[in-house]
Amino acid sequence: MPIDYKNEIFYSADELARILQVSREDVEDFARSQNFAKDNVASSQIHLAKQSLESFFEAYFTSRGQSKDRCYKIPDYLKNCSSPWAVELVKMYGKRVNFPASLSPEQGEFLKGLISNLNPNNIIEIGCFTGISTLWMAAGLEQIGSNATIHSIDLFDELLPWLPTRHGCLLDPFQSAQNSAIAAQLSHRIQFHKMNSIEAGKRVYEMVDQPVDFIFIDGDHTQGGCLADLMLFYPYVSVGGYIMLHDIYPDVCHWDGPRYVIDEYIKNNPHFELTEIKTSPCNFGMALIRKVSVDQNLCLPVKLLTTVNT
């Protein structure tokens, strides 16, 4: 565990070695050579200050030649667009922490166009990670001059490398998402909520004053977590409104929650219309679900509500 020494948080070389899946000596040698290390911080081994972790991991992965193929390819139209939201998205895509968990530019452009066409009055997003998907949807609202607001819910826990998937680091995702919304000149369309989705699901009408027309579920991808998100928020979706699930193909994304929800609760349910969408460059997939009528039997088991924490 990190230690608090003289009102500053430090990570030991052992902890960093576990994250990087290398030896402590490898971490110590690199930290000293790059002047990251602080010796004798309440123990005999070297430590790194928490505030230096983002630059440390960036330097470490770059030095090991692991910077290539760890980010999405940015389409020319996005790189050449001068709109503040596009400029900010390009900047965000340049951060290693956003690959591959965030929407690809191709998925983002699809989501933006979808929002522009559907013109929802209220949007709820469950699981925004660092805010890339949020900006895409907000840009769609901006394009049509909508007055709608996106309520984006996430735990916003600090993001350390999680090998082999995530090579980046982001210590304060909540502040980073807020800063990105401001830089994109879209903060007037977004409200970020730092809480778990079960808590938010009990307080929807504290956030919105009318039925929700569009919900993007991209939070807890376990079976119980994804089902809880659907069950909790489904009653607030207007008839004719939409629910979108991300990461629906387990063979590619390695999560089975969204697939489970589709197969067990959506696919053969006459109260829904379902369209599955292949996505690029990684076919994690999306599902667009339209609520055509109210299913009185679709309710969350009490046991699930008390045990799942998303």
Side-chain angles (χ1 to χ4, degrees):
M1 294 294 292
I3 63 171
D4 189 334
Y5 181 69
K6 295 183 178 180
N7 296 319
E8 191 173 1
I9 303 299
F10 290 88
Y11 283 72
S12 71
D14 278 335
E15 290 166 316
L16 298 176
R18 283 194 292 272
I19 292 171
L20 294 170
Q21 300 175 12
V22 296
S23 68
R24 185 181 75 182
E25 291 74 21
D26 184 62
V27 170
E28 289 180 333
D29 290 344
F30 183 79
R32 287 196 176 100
S33 69
Q34 301 295 314
N35 298 317
F36 283 109
K38 291 193 176 183
D39 293 296
N40 302 319
V41 178
S43 76
S44 58
Q45 64 172 289
I46 70 166
H47 285 70
L48 270 71
K50 180 177 179 178
Q51 63 186 20
S52 70
L53 289 185
E54 289 186 27
S55 54
F56 168 78
F57 286 121
E58 180 67 23
Y60 183 88
F61 288 122
T62 299
S63 73
R64 298 310 192 260
Q66 295 174 325
S67 58
K68 295 181 179 180
D69 301 324
R70 299 309 306 176
C71 60
Y72 290 113
K73 181 179 179 181
I74 309 299
D76 289 341
Y77 80 86
L78 189 60
K79 287 191 292 186
N80 297 329
C81 181
S82 61
S83 298
W85 62 266
V87 173
E88 183 61 21
L89 279 170
V90 170
K91 178 181 176 182
M92 295 174 77
Y93 277 122
K95 295 180 180 179
R96 194 180 284 111
V97 71
N98 284 314
F99 181 88
S102 296
L103 293 188
S104 69
E106 291 79 8
Q107 294 173 47
E109 179 64 21
F110 172 78
L111 186 58
K112 172 179 172 287
L114 185 64
I115 293 299
S116 295
N117 281 280
L118 295 179
N119 190 17
N121 291 312
N122 273 307
I123 297 175
I124 290 180
E125 178 182 32
I126 304 170
C128 78
F129 197 52
T130 66
I132 283 180
S133 54
T134 320
L135 291 194
W136 276 114
M137 289 191 288
L141 295 176
E142 188 78 1
Q143 180 171 300
I144 58 174
S146 169
N147 292 321
T149 298
I150 301 170
H151 294 272
S152 187
I153 301 156
D154 202 292
L155 293 173
F156 291 105
D157 291 335
E158 67 180 20
L159 301 170
L160 297 177
W162 181 24
L163 301 181
T165 303
R166 184 169 66 231
H167 284 63
C169 173
L170 187 61
L171 298 179
D172 192 348
F174 183 71
Q175 188 62 55
S176 178
Q178 289 184 314
N179 291 343
S180 291
I182 293 170
Q185 297 184 18
L186 294 173
S187 59
H188 58 294
R189 302 199 174 279
I190 301 167
Q191 290 188 28
F192 292 108
H193 303 270
K194 189 175 183 178
M195 62 177 69
N196 67 55
S197 57
I198 285 186
E199 179 186 355
K202 299 173 184 177
R203 299 166 52 188
V204 172
Y205 278 137
E206 295 179 22
M207 300 179 188
V208 299
D209 58 1
Q210 56 186 314
V212 179
D213 299 316
F214 192 90
I215 293 184
F216 184 39
I217 299 178
D218 194 18
D220 186 337
H221 284 42
T222 64
Q223 291 185 9
C226 192
L227 179 60
D229 287 339
L230 173 71
M231 297 293 193
L232 278 168
F233 288 88
Y234 164 80
Y236 302 103
V237 179
S238 59
V239 173
Y242 292 86
I243 302 165
M244 174 162 274
L245 298 178
H246 191 221
D247 301 324
I248 66 170
Y249 297 131
D251 290 346
V252 183
C253 69
H254 307 298
W255 290 104
D256 64 353
R259 185 77 254 164
Y260 167 78
V261 166
I262 290 170
D263 291 344
E264 297 296 325
Y265 294 89
I266 303 295
K267 181 181 290 186
N268 299 313
N269 189 329
H271 299 282
F272 295 108
E273 293 176 347
L274 168 69
T275 301
E276 295 189 18
I277 303 160
K278 294 182 178 181
T279 59
S280 178
C282 302
N283 188 24
F284 292 170
M286 293 178 171
L288 185 61
I289 303 158
R290 183 171 178 260
K291 180 178 178 179
V292 296
S293 58
V294 176
D295 184 354
Q296 300 290 353
N297 296 318
L298 199 64
C299 58
L300 184 68
V302 174
K303 181 179 180 181
L304 186 62
L305 178 61
T306 57
T307 57
V308 175
N309 179 11
T310 60

